[in-house]
Amino acid sequence: QVQLVESGGGLVQAGGSLRLSCRASGSTFSISTMRWYRQAPGKQRELVATISSRGITTYADSVKGRFTISRDNAKNGVFLQMNSLRPEDTAVYLCNSAAYASVSWGQGTQVTVSS
């Protein structure tokens, strides 16, 4: 089982930026598809961004042009650069990895954007 640990969340004003990090244990990171999800209170979990093992990225329409997902296979890390943050981006952000039939989740990191 892969263990994922997120960091980098916090409180930021609207228009500000944050960079989230997710570190993975294990030897399957380089072949894993990595995703960032978010969950706001009372709302369903939402897929924010995906990066494949080959570095292909996709984004939710709500974050396109503002968020960038990247990965560093040498460090077993995936990152989410969030710019031009809005109050509606407030949520717990969770890292997810998928390789073969194995799916893992991190505990999440809180992002709060004040208006």
Side-chain angles (χ1 to χ4, degrees):
Q1 186 81 10
V2 174
Q3 292 188 336
L4 303 172
V5 179
E6 301 97 334
S7 62
L11 173 64
V12 64
Q13 289 188 332
S17 298
L18 284 174
R19 178 177 169 86
L20 305 184
S21 298
C22 173
R23 303 289 182 178
S25 66
S27 60
T28 60
F29 180 82
S30 64
I31 62 169
S32 299
T33 294
M34 301 299 297
R35 296 179 173 90
W36 284 99
Y37 286 79
R38 66 186 180 187
Q39 187 155 23
K43 295 188 177 180
Q44 287 190 333
R45 190 168 290 185
E46 176 189 18
L47 176 59
V48 175
T50 301
I51 186 164
S52 73
S53 59
R54 297 184 179 185
I56 298 170
T57 60
T58 58
Y59 298 92
D61 287 343
S62 58
V63 307
K64 277 181 184 176
R66 301 188 298 123
F67 291 11
T68 302
I69 189 171
S70 61
R71 66 190 297 159
D72 183 341
N73 288 342
K75 297 182 179 180
N76 275 20
V78 62
F79 312 97
L80 188 68
Q81 177 67 43
M82 307 186 295
N83 299 328
S84 302
L85 283 161
R86 305 167 179 168
E88 54 263 39
D89 295 317
T90 295
V92 174
Y93 284 71
L94 302 110
C95 182
N96 168 280
S97 72
Y100 304 120
S102 178
V103 177
S104 299
W105 291 90
Q107 293 296 312
T109 185
Q110 176 70 46
V111 171
T112 303
V113 184
S114 64
S115 58

